[in-house]
Amino acid sequence: AQSVSQHNHHVILSEAASLELGCNYSYGGTVNLFWYVQYPGQHLQLLLKYFSGDPLVKGIKGFEAEFIKSKFSFNLRKPSVQWSDTAEYFCAVIGNNNDMRFGAGTRLTVKP
Amino acid sequence: DTAVSQTPKYLVTQMGNDKSIKCEQNLGHDTMYWYKQDSKKFLKIMFSYNNKELIINETVPNRFSPKSPDKAHLNLHINSLELGDSAVYFCASRGTGGTGGYTFGSGTRLTVV
């Protein structure tokens, strides 16, 4: 069955620490990959997306993600987090049926 | 101009009531969706409409019914509300081609008491 897995349920970091959030998917064929962020009480905002080309994708707010096709992964990274990065992060995939499916989300807490 | 707008933003209602949430998009997109985000933040697709045709109906109770009067609107009607319906409901739209990603509304927080 098609699915999106985010391994980390809750990540706690101190400011300036490096971040990597895991995302794996199990879809056949071509996929489009996304990371969304949801700040407390707010709606989903697109951080970055991958359709094709360079597997290293740069997004907003200093985030980046790397698509590794052989590992079916699309991990999100940031070299130095800030307190304002505290939020819920969702990995999402659009597969052949053109419908977006989300992972369960990872809550990031950044301690000042 | 808001691309995808939902109303109301907050909705508190009693069990057994019938309520509607409205969604409008001004992007000219062909497909609109409803997602439910539960208390654990899990996002689940509920419905999608493409050119006024329902093309997804996930395993949601038939108390939930989407209504699309035109391509720019997809409203969500909920009958006989239950406590478990409390959640945040997000509307989204997508243009043709499928690779453009989705544009989400700001969500409607429904609380059933």
PDB file of all heavy atoms in Angstrom, chain B residues 84-109:
ATOM      1  N   GLY B  84     -16.327  12.810  18.155  1.00  0.00           N
ATOM      2  CA  GLY B  84     -15.135  12.428  17.404  1.00  0.00           C
ATOM      3  C   GLY B  84     -14.910  13.226  16.133  1.00  0.00           C
ATOM      4  O   GLY B  84     -13.870  13.098  15.486  1.00  0.00           O
ATOM      5  N   ASP B  85     -15.893  14.036  15.785  1.00  0.00           N
ATOM      6  CA  ASP B  85     -15.726  14.881  14.599  1.00  0.00           C
ATOM      7  C   ASP B  85     -14.892  16.121  14.904  1.00  0.00           C
ATOM      8  O   ASP B  85     -14.509  16.850  13.980  1.00  0.00           O
ATOM      9  CB  ASP B  85     -17.085  15.310  14.051  1.00  0.00           C
ATOM     10  CG  ASP B  85     -17.927  14.131  13.607  1.00  0.00           C
ATOM     11  OD1 ASP B  85     -17.341  13.104  13.208  1.00  0.00           O
ATOM     12  OD2 ASP B  85     -19.174  14.236  13.668  1.00  0.00           O
ATOM     13  N   SER B  86     -14.636  16.357  16.180  1.00  0.00           N
ATOM     14  CA  SER B  86     -13.820  17.511  16.557  1.00  0.00           C
ATOM     15  C   SER B  86     -12.435  17.382  15.943  1.00  0.00           C
ATOM     16  O   SER B  86     -11.738  16.384  16.146  1.00  0.00           O
ATOM     17  CB  SER B  86     -13.703  17.611  18.080  1.00  0.00           C
ATOM     18  OG  SER B  86     -14.957  17.848  18.661  1.00  0.00           O
ATOM     19  N   ALA B  87     -12.056  18.379  15.189  1.00  0.00           N
ATOM     20  CA  ALA B  87     -10.785  18.338  14.465  1.00  0.00           C
ATOM     21  C   ALA B  87     -10.620  19.672  13.746  1.00  0.00           C
ATOM     22  O   ALA B  87     -11.486  20.545  13.795  1.00  0.00           O
ATOM     23  CB  ALA B  87     -10.768  17.201  13.433  1.00  0.00           C
ATOM     24  N   VAL B  88      -9.497  19.796  13.052  1.00  0.00           N
ATOM     25  CA  VAL B  88      -9.316  20.930  12.148  1.00  0.00           C
ATOM     26  C   VAL B  88      -9.496  20.419  10.732  1.00  0.00           C
ATOM     27  O   VAL B  88      -8.884  19.416  10.344  1.00  0.00           O
ATOM     28  CB  VAL B  88      -7.932  21.576  12.316  1.00  0.00           C
ATOM     29  CG1 VAL B  88      -7.793  22.767  11.356  1.00  0.00           C
ATOM     30  CG2 VAL B  88      -7.715  22.025  13.753  1.00  0.00           C
ATOM     31  N   TYR B  89     -10.324  21.073   9.981  1.00  0.00           N
ATOM     32  CA  TYR B  89     -10.610  20.665   8.614  1.00  0.00           C
ATOM     33  C   TYR B  89      -9.970  21.675   7.657  1.00  0.00           C
ATOM     34  O   TYR B  89     -10.188  22.879   7.760  1.00  0.00           O
ATOM     35  CB  TYR B  89     -12.121  20.581   8.382  1.00  0.00           C
ATOM     36  CG  TYR B  89     -12.755  19.466   9.181  1.00  0.00           C
ATOM     37  CD1 TYR B  89     -13.129  19.663  10.507  1.00  0.00           C
ATOM     38  CD2 TYR B  89     -12.940  18.208   8.617  1.00  0.00           C
ATOM     39  CE1 TYR B  89     -13.682  18.635  11.253  1.00  0.00           C
ATOM     40  CE2 TYR B  89     -13.498  17.175   9.353  1.00  0.00           C
ATOM     41  CZ  TYR B  89     -13.870  17.385  10.670  1.00  0.00           C
ATOM     42  OH  TYR B  89     -14.407  16.363  11.405  1.00  0.00           O
ATOM     43  N   PHE B  90      -9.182  21.148   6.743  1.00  0.00           N
ATOM     44  CA  PHE B  90      -8.488  21.986   5.773  1.00  0.00           C
ATOM     45  C   PHE B  90      -9.026  21.733   4.377  1.00  0.00           C
ATOM     46  O   PHE B  90      -9.162  20.588   3.941  1.00  0.00           O
ATOM     47  CB  PHE B  90      -6.976  21.695   5.758  1.00  0.00           C
ATOM     48  CG  PHE B  90      -6.243  22.199   6.953  1.00  0.00           C
ATOM     49  CD1 PHE B  90      -5.957  21.352   8.010  1.00  0.00           C
ATOM     50  CD2 PHE B  90      -5.834  23.528   7.030  1.00  0.00           C
ATOM     51  CE1 PHE B  90      -5.269  21.811   9.128  1.00  0.00           C
ATOM     52  CE2 PHE B  90      -5.142  23.996   8.145  1.00  0.00           C
ATOM     53  CZ  PHE B  90      -4.875  23.138   9.187  1.00  0.00           C
ATOM     54  N   CYS B  91      -9.278  22.813   3.702  1.00  0.00           N
ATOM     55  CA  CYS B  91      -9.619  22.759   2.291  1.00  0.00           C
ATOM     56  C   CYS B  91      -8.344  23.011   1.485  1.00  0.00           C
ATOM     57  O   CYS B  91      -7.433  23.722   1.935  1.00  0.00           O
ATOM     58  CB  CYS B  91     -10.660  23.835   1.980  1.00  0.00           C
ATOM     59  SG  CYS B  91     -11.156  23.956   0.270  1.00  0.00           S
ATOM     60  N   ALA B  92      -8.251  22.430   0.319  1.00  0.00           N
ATOM     61  CA  ALA B  92      -7.079  22.644  -0.541  1.00  0.00           C
ATOM     62  C   ALA B  92      -7.513  22.600  -1.992  1.00  0.00           C
ATOM     63  O   ALA B  92      -8.558  22.038  -2.326  1.00  0.00           O
ATOM     64  CB  ALA B  92      -6.003  21.592  -0.279  1.00  0.00           C
ATOM     65  N   SER B  93      -6.689  23.187  -2.840  1.00  0.00           N
ATOM     66  CA  SER B  93      -6.971  23.114  -4.271  1.00  0.00           C
ATOM     67  C   SER B  93      -5.684  22.833  -5.027  1.00  0.00           C
ATOM     68  O   SER B  93      -4.589  23.085  -4.528  1.00  0.00           O
ATOM     69  CB  SER B  93      -7.610  24.407  -4.784  1.00  0.00           C
ATOM     70  OG  SER B  93      -6.668  25.457  -4.816  1.00  0.00           O
ATOM     71  N   ARG B  94      -5.860  22.294  -6.227  1.00  0.00           N
ATOM     72  CA  ARG B  94      -4.704  21.940  -7.068  1.00  0.00           C
ATOM     73  C   ARG B  94      -5.041  22.237  -8.518  1.00  0.00           C
ATOM     74  O   ARG B  94      -6.129  21.929  -8.983  1.00  0.00           O
ATOM     75  CB  ARG B  94      -4.376  20.454  -6.902  1.00  0.00           C
ATOM     76  CG  ARG B  94      -3.290  19.953  -7.836  1.00  0.00           C
ATOM     77  CD  ARG B  94      -2.962  18.485  -7.542  1.00  0.00           C
ATOM     78  NE  ARG B  94      -4.095  17.599  -7.757  1.00  0.00           N
ATOM     79  CZ  ARG B  94      -4.440  17.064  -8.916  1.00  0.00           C
ATOM     80  NH1 ARG B  94      -3.751  17.355 -10.006  1.00  0.00           N
ATOM     81  NH2 ARG B  94      -5.464  16.245  -9.004  1.00  0.00           N
ATOM     82  N   GLY B  95      -4.067  22.794  -9.209  1.00  0.00           N
ATOM     83  CA  GLY B  95      -4.272  23.074 -10.616  1.00  0.00           C
ATOM     84  C   GLY B  95      -4.031  21.853 -11.471  1.00  0.00           C
ATOM     85  O   GLY B  95      -3.700  20.786 -10.978  1.00  0.00           O
ATOM     86  N   THR B  96      -4.141  21.996 -12.752  1.00  0.00           N
ATOM     87  CA  THR B  96      -3.924  20.884 -13.679  1.00  0.00           C
ATOM     88  C   THR B  96      -2.450  20.544 -13.729  1.00  0.00           C
ATOM     89  O   THR B  96      -1.599  21.360 -13.396  1.00  0.00           O
ATOM     90  CB  THR B  96      -4.389  21.234 -15.093  1.00  0.00           C
ATOM     91  OG1 THR B  96      -3.712  22.428 -15.514  1.00  0.00           O
ATOM     92  CG2 THR B  96      -5.883  21.459 -15.116  1.00  0.00           C
ATOM     93  N   GLY B  97      -2.158  19.344 -14.097  1.00  0.00           N
ATOM     94  CA  GLY B  97      -0.756  18.914 -14.196  1.00  0.00           C
ATOM     95  C   GLY B  97      -0.317  18.148 -12.984  1.00  0.00           C
ATOM     96  O   GLY B  97       0.547  17.309 -13.042  1.00  0.00           O
ATOM     97  N   GLY B  98      -0.872  18.441 -11.863  1.00  0.00           N
ATOM     98  CA  GLY B  98      -0.611  17.639 -10.662  1.00  0.00           C
ATOM     99  C   GLY B  98       0.674  17.943  -9.951  1.00  0.00           C
ATOM    100  O   GLY B  98       0.828  17.599  -8.787  1.00  0.00           O
ATOM    101  N   THR B  99       1.622  18.585 -10.612  1.00  0.00           N
ATOM    102  CA  THR B  99       2.915  18.771  -9.956  1.00  0.00           C
ATOM    103  C   THR B  99       3.032  20.108  -9.263  1.00  0.00           C
ATOM    104  O   THR B  99       4.049  20.403  -8.665  1.00  0.00           O
ATOM    105  CB  THR B  99       4.041  18.668 -10.997  1.00  0.00           C
ATOM    106  OG1 THR B  99       3.849  19.681 -11.991  1.00  0.00           O
ATOM    107  CG2 THR B  99       4.057  17.303 -11.646  1.00  0.00           C
ATOM    108  N   GLY B 100       1.985  20.900  -9.322  1.00  0.00           N
ATOM    109  CA  GLY B 100       2.070  22.212  -8.719  1.00  0.00           C
ATOM    110  C   GLY B 100       1.900  22.227  -7.233  1.00  0.00           C
ATOM    111  O   GLY B 100       1.980  23.277  -6.615  1.00  0.00           O
ATOM    112  N   GLY B 101       1.665  21.101  -6.646  1.00  0.00           N
ATOM    113  CA  GLY B 101       1.423  21.104  -5.222  1.00  0.00           C
ATOM    114  C   GLY B 101       0.039  21.632  -4.921  1.00  0.00           C
ATOM    115  O   GLY B 101      -0.710  22.013  -5.820  1.00  0.00           O
ATOM    116  N   TYR B 102      -0.274  21.639  -3.685  1.00  0.00           N
ATOM    117  CA  TYR B 102      -1.585  22.065  -3.255  1.00  0.00           C
ATOM    118  C   TYR B 102      -1.490  23.429  -2.577  1.00  0.00           C
ATOM    119  O   TYR B 102      -0.484  23.749  -1.958  1.00  0.00           O
ATOM    120  CB  TYR B 102      -2.156  21.087  -2.238  1.00  0.00           C
ATOM    121  CG  TYR B 102      -2.558  19.737  -2.774  1.00  0.00           C
ATOM    122  CD1 TYR B 102      -2.069  19.229  -3.955  1.00  0.00           C
ATOM    123  CD2 TYR B 102      -3.448  18.948  -2.045  1.00  0.00           C
ATOM    124  CE1 TYR B 102      -2.445  17.993  -4.417  1.00  0.00           C
ATOM    125  CE2 TYR B 102      -3.833  17.704  -2.492  1.00  0.00           C
ATOM    126  CZ  TYR B 102      -3.327  17.223  -3.684  1.00  0.00           C
ATOM    127  OH  TYR B 102      -3.705  15.990  -4.131  1.00  0.00           O
ATOM    128  N   THR B 103      -2.574  24.176  -2.642  1.00  0.00           N
ATOM    129  CA  THR B 103      -2.699  25.400  -1.860  1.00  0.00           C
ATOM    130  C   THR B 103      -3.760  25.149  -0.806  1.00  0.00           C
ATOM    131  O   THR B 103      -4.880  24.757  -1.136  1.00  0.00           O
ATOM    132  CB  THR B 103      -3.101  26.585  -2.753  1.00  0.00           C
ATOM    133  OG1 THR B 103      -2.133  26.748  -3.788  1.00  0.00           O
ATOM    134  CG2 THR B 103      -3.159  27.857  -1.926  1.00  0.00           C
ATOM    135  N   PHE B 104      -3.380  25.370   0.440  1.00  0.00           N
ATOM    136  CA  PHE B 104      -4.278  25.056   1.546  1.00  0.00           C
ATOM    137  C   PHE B 104      -4.954  26.305   2.080  1.00  0.00           C
ATOM    138  O   PHE B 104      -4.384  27.396   2.073  1.00  0.00           O
ATOM    139  CB  PHE B 104      -3.501  24.391   2.686  1.00  0.00           C
ATOM    140  CG  PHE B 104      -3.180  22.957   2.417  1.00  0.00           C
ATOM    141  CD1 PHE B 104      -2.034  22.599   1.714  1.00  0.00           C
ATOM    142  CD2 PHE B 104      -4.033  21.944   2.848  1.00  0.00           C
ATOM    143  CE1 PHE B 104      -1.744  21.278   1.444  1.00  0.00           C
ATOM    144  CE2 PHE B 104      -3.747  20.616   2.583  1.00  0.00           C
ATOM    145  CZ  PHE B 104      -2.610  20.287   1.876  1.00  0.00           C
ATOM    146  N   GLY B 105      -6.182  26.104   2.552  1.00  0.00           N
ATOM    147  CA  GLY B 105      -6.841  27.146   3.312  1.00  0.00           C
ATOM    148  C   GLY B 105      -6.294  27.192   4.724  1.00  0.00           C
ATOM    149  O   GLY B 105      -5.452  26.380   5.110  1.00  0.00           O
ATOM    150  N   SER B 106      -6.780  28.129   5.485  1.00  0.00           N
ATOM    151  CA  SER B 106      -6.253  28.344   6.834  1.00  0.00           C
ATOM    152  C   SER B 106      -6.873  27.424   7.872  1.00  0.00           C
ATOM    153  O   SER B 106      -6.468  27.444   9.031  1.00  0.00           O
ATOM    154  CB  SER B 106      -6.449  29.797   7.249  1.00  0.00           C
ATOM    155  OG  SER B 106      -7.823  30.130   7.179  1.00  0.00           O
ATOM    156  N   GLY B 107      -7.839  26.616   7.459  1.00  0.00           N
ATOM    157  CA  GLY B 107      -8.396  25.630   8.360  1.00  0.00           C
ATOM    158  C   GLY B 107      -9.624  26.112   9.115  1.00  0.00           C
ATOM    159  O   GLY B 107      -9.818  27.309   9.343  1.00  0.00           O
ATOM    160  N   THR B 108     -10.447  25.161   9.480  1.00  0.00           N
ATOM    161  CA  THR B 108     -11.619  25.410  10.331  1.00  0.00           C
ATOM    162  C   THR B 108     -11.519  24.481  11.526  1.00  0.00           C
ATOM    163  O   THR B 108     -11.489  23.263  11.365  1.00  0.00           O
ATOM    164  CB  THR B 108     -12.931  25.131   9.570  1.00  0.00           C
ATOM    165  OG1 THR B 108     -13.051  26.043   8.480  1.00  0.00           O
ATOM    166  CG2 THR B 108     -14.133  25.266  10.499  1.00  0.00           C
ATOM    167  N   ARG B 109     -11.432  25.082  12.704  1.00  0.00           N
ATOM    168  CA  ARG B 109     -11.357  24.259  13.916  1.00  0.00           C
ATOM    169  C   ARG B 109     -12.771  23.991  14.395  1.00  0.00           C
ATOM    170  O   ARG B 109     -13.476  24.897  14.839  1.00  0.00           O
ATOM    171  CB  ARG B 109     -10.550  24.970  15.003  1.00  0.00           C
ATOM    172  CG  ARG B 109     -10.406  24.134  16.275  1.00  0.00           C
ATOM    173  CD  ARG B 109      -9.495  24.817  17.289  1.00  0.00           C
ATOM    174  NE  ARG B 109      -8.132  24.894  16.814  1.00  0.00           N
ATOM    175  CZ  ARG B 109      -7.240  23.923  16.896  1.00  0.00           C
ATOM    176  NH1 ARG B 109      -7.584  22.760  17.446  1.00  0.00           N
ATOM    177  NH2 ARG B 109      -6.011  24.081  16.441  1.00  0.00           N
TER     178      ARG B 109
END
